[in-house]
Amino acid sequence: MRHLVDFEDMSIGEWEKLYSLCRDIMSHPDDYRDSLRGRTIASLFFEPSTRTSFSFQAAMLKLGGGVFGFADPVFSSVSKGEKLKDTIAMCSSYADAIIIRTPWEGSAKAASLYSECPVINAGDGGHLHPTQTLTDLTTIMEIRGKISDLNIGFCGDLKNGRTVHSLIKALGRFPGISFFLISPRALSIPPYLRNFLKEHRLRYVEVTGLESTMPQLDVLYMTRIQRERFTDPAEYDRHNNIYILNAQKLRLARKDLLIMHPLPRVDEIAMDVDGDPRAAYYRQAGYGLYIRMALLLSLIREGKSKPEHVPPESRPHLCKNPNCITFTNPYVPIQIKTEAGVKYCAYCDKEV
Ligand code: NCD
């Protein structure tokens, strides 16, 4: 049984197959109307969502299947103190796939240990968001026709933006990508990603200026400052509105620039950009529906299987990240990975 916790769970060949299925669905949606009739997904959203949860629901309905779940854990037994393990074990016996979003980093990976159906990570805190990455890759393919030899700029909160983390890791597996990482120093990419870029000998620069970088870019991926990840509101206020892309600044950009944003946008893209043919963010959100249809079809068709029993962890976790799933759910087994001689928590990717 397959899960999608991280884009790394997929080979490039599998991505190509998924994208080709997505294209077929876009061209012949009626052929897929009954593909998942009688199947159900559990949509477990412990954090707010519009596009991700709605596009998964719409995807499942368009495939003839059903959806149950919650958009706020207040309406589930989690509010009574239920552990993630129990919620997942139960829901996975009712559903054919689980879509989960939580504020806890590594939660989808932990959930996958206890699930008898595929678990899809719809965002685990400030860590990863692989189905947004599928959406982003689809957008680049549809509009640029290739994912290679591109200068890609990421701008905004690169520390906390999970869509950025997932997409950088994914793009690192395609040839000829140069990364321009535009952020204030305090909101630069997490150390594990910097090590990833170095380890894979990828071309990247970290800069603070958007305007000075713009003329070099083929793709500009804007992000909002992730207010909910800040413990100090003053720190958020200091960084909010630091980058604002507007029609005037776009005069510096290439004629075929692709402007992307995972949305929601706050003020980092002025509305005077929306009518520019280079603005792709609404189209991007639209592609999310079709690639999620392809994903649900592929994973659900593989079927379910009971997970092996995982004994509760008795040793203390080494991970000191208070947002890590191991912090709130210490019964999950210790998992450490080593990359380039550095040890990381395998759930949240923080150094231990
Ligand atoms: C993103 C997320 O939830 O991480 N939204 C989305 O899923 N499209 C981006 C964000 O919230 O800034």
Side-chain angles (χ1 to χ4, degrees), residues 88-107:
I88 295 300
M90 296 313 307
C91 287
S92 75
S93 72
Y94 305 148
D96 297 289
I98 288 179
I99 321 301
I100 183 167
R101 166 175 290 189
T102 82
W104 313 299
E105 303 181 359
S107 53

Side-chain angles (χ1 to χ4, degrees), residues 23-84:
R23 292 217 70 174
D24 198 58
I25 297 172
M26 287 198 270
S27 327
H28 313 284
D30 284 348
D31 293 357
Y32 293 87
R33 243 191 340 226
D34 291 317
S35 306
L36 291 180
R37 182 156 305 283
R39 307 297 188 94
T40 327
I41 56 169
S43 170
L44 311 182
F45 279 71
F46 295 74
E47 268 195 344
S49 171
T50 308
R51 271 149 300 274
T52 307
S53 76
F54 288 174
S55 63
F56 265 117
Q57 291 181 42
M60 195 57 183
L61 296 172
K62 283 175 188 285
L63 293 166
V67 184
F68 68 90
F70 52 80
D72 184 332
V74 164
F75 300 112
S76 78
S77 284
V78 175
S79 63
K80 301 180 191 169
E82 186 169 69
K83 304 277 186 292
L84 182 74

